[in-house]
Amino acid sequence: MSATAPADAATIAADVGAARSSARTVVAEALDRIRRLDGRVNAFTDILADRALARADRLDAAIRGGVPAGPLAGVPFAVKNLIDIAGLPTRAGSKINRDRTPAARDGALVRRLEAAGAILLGALNMGEYAYDFTGENVHDGDAHNPHALDHMTGGSSGGSGAALAAGLVPLTLGSDTNGSIRVPAAFCGCFGLKPTYGRLTRAGSFPFVGSLDHLGPMARSVTDLALAYDAMQGPDTDDPVATARPPDPVLPGLDGGPGGLRIAVAGGYFARGGDPDAFAAVAQIADTLGARRTVELPEAHRARAAAYLITAAEGATLHLERLRTRPQDFDPAVRDRLIAGAMIPAPHVEQAQRFRRWYRDAVLDLFGSVDVILAPTTPCRAPKGGQTHFVLDGTTLPLRPNIGLFTQPISFIGLPVVAVPVWLDAGLPLGVQVIVAPWREDLALRVARYLETSGSCAAPVAELAR
């Protein structure tokens, strides 16, 4: 861990807004870190130095002219490369998408962050078409975990987690269909927010599974996570599931602490099938919060299976034409799973959807008696790069599909989650999911902030960033 970590977003915004620092200086320093370090991490696929410096100069001039600075003034950020960036083809981790027409404008969340004063530095590596839990990519090369370069970042938002852990930027955006924000947050030791389904617009992003896709922020502090989240909220007619909910700022209540909240630990399915350390991390967080109660999410194993089936079927439908015309240009592992998804009988998908409605009602009933549920993020610490299998409960399993066994039953019904990093020892981090009822991101962030200030959670910059 570095003793001199780059500044967090809140500090940068305060200093730039008060003219104690310039946006140009902040951006230039971030670009220099990327130049020096990213050759080992491989977090970035596109770097927008000229655009970023020009925007920094405009922001500095505006502040000198008396224009009030935004809440993210001068904060460098980067986005998973499935989010549109004007002038670039939105590659979504693939070879095929590089032939697309460049995006005419930035994705909606990029525009909202820049309206708050943040400055986009580039696009980040990811698993092909977001069908990935590892952070590996056969086209752009694998992203490497900055805390141990021979280990995985987790995926599919692997570049987003790696860029934070390496100190390249203080804020990133990722996407989460079945765990793709939460898994790299756990493996790379940072904070991640998967909001309620429909809370943040997905307009201007390349889809994976429309009924499960979320976009959200990742950061090295909970305050930064909340700053970004508040800046990105609001309805958007360009996304049919993000049109109704008004903004609900969380930053003012962030330091309220967990007092009065009914907090429980997920048992049953979420208390087996992982390494002992995964459950030790949950126990440590539960102890800090004084959580003594256990609840069980009903039929969570079926929820995971149904999520897996819907993912395969919807993902395959999206890619059918590409599978017919350019099968050789896919990552073979992704291609084969999509082909398998295309052959799932329609009655099976319908049955999974019917179960999904039942499961959502059953889980929401739990929130009548609890406010927060704690669960492991992943069943293990970050595996070695290239690893294909792992052993859980004495059983050897394929690694890629099973990393998400604790995240899939949660995103399956769109629940908001803050993933918090936990360091049990000097080894690699683990993660814990702070799960709340729909639209209660404020509670999850409040709990995460308390854990951070109590010292139970931390998101240090990796040693290589010194």
Side-chain angles (χ1 to χ4, degrees), residues 128-369:
E128 185 181 71
Y129 289 125
Y131 208 170
D132 167 65
F133 278 132
T134 67
E136 297 175 329
N137 187 291
V138 300
H139 311 296
D140 293 307
D142 302 342
H144 301 287
N145 193 320
H147 296 292
L149 292 171
D150 58 340
H151 285 251
M152 295 176 179
T153 59
S156 61
S157 308
S160 301
L164 293 170
L168 306 182
V169 288
L171 179 65
T172 62
L173 294 186
S175 71
D176 191 310
T177 302
N178 289 302
S180 288
I181 286 173
R182 291 162 288 162
V183 167
F187 285 177
C188 292
C190 56
F191 294 92
L193 169 62
K194 186 204 78 62
T196 306
Y197 180 77
R199 171 69 94 167
L200 297 183
T201 175
R202 302 166 301 175
S205 65
F206 194 87
F208 174 28
V209 180
S211 69
L212 295 171
D213 290 344
H214 308 65
L215 299 184
M218 300 172 68
R220 292 194 305 272
S221 81
V222 179
T223 298
D224 289 359
L225 210 62
L227 277 168
Y229 172 65
D230 281 354
M232 293 187 293
Q233 286 190 63
D236 187 353
T237 56
D238 290 334
D239 182 349
V241 302
T243 58
R245 194 78 183 185
D248 185 15
V250 302
L251 195 62
L254 196 61
D255 289 315
L261 294 181
R262 300 165 298 173
I263 304 173
V265 174
Y269 174 89
F270 293 93
R272 59 178 181 267
D275 289 344
D277 284 350
F279 306 120
V282 176
Q284 177 173 298
I285 295 304
D287 184 64
T288 300
L289 296 170
R292 301 288 180 261
R293 182 178 172 188
T294 299
V295 296
E296 188 161 346
L297 277 66
E299 302 286 348
H301 66 288
R302 289 183 64 197
R304 195 242 169 168
Y308 201 89
L309 189 151
I310 291 169
T311 295
E314 280 197 43
T317 300
L318 176 69
H319 291 287
L320 276 178
E321 184 59 27
R322 282 175 281 272
L323 289 167
R324 291 189 186 106
T325 59
R326 298 184 63 174
Q328 73 283 357
D329 291 330
F330 281 85
D331 175 341
V334 172
R335 179 195 62 216
D336 292 350
R337 281 178 291 150
L338 290 171
I339 290 172
M343 295 186 287
I344 295 173
H348 291 5
V349 180
E350 175 59 25
Q351 183 179 4
Q353 293 287 15
R354 285 198 301 269
F355 169 77
R356 185 182 190 178
R357 290 189 288 272
W358 176 89
Y359 177 70
R360 184 177 191 275
D361 291 343
V363 173
L364 292 185
D365 280 347
L366 290 176
F367 287 108
S369 59

Side-chain angles (χ1 to χ4, degrees), residues 45-46 81-82 89-95 97-98 126 129 140:
T45 55
D46 302 273
N81 71 29
L82 56 64
T90 305
R91 69 174 74 182
S94 72
K95 177 180 179 180
N97 276 30
R98 296 171 208 218
M126 61 175 284
Y129 289 125
D140 293 307

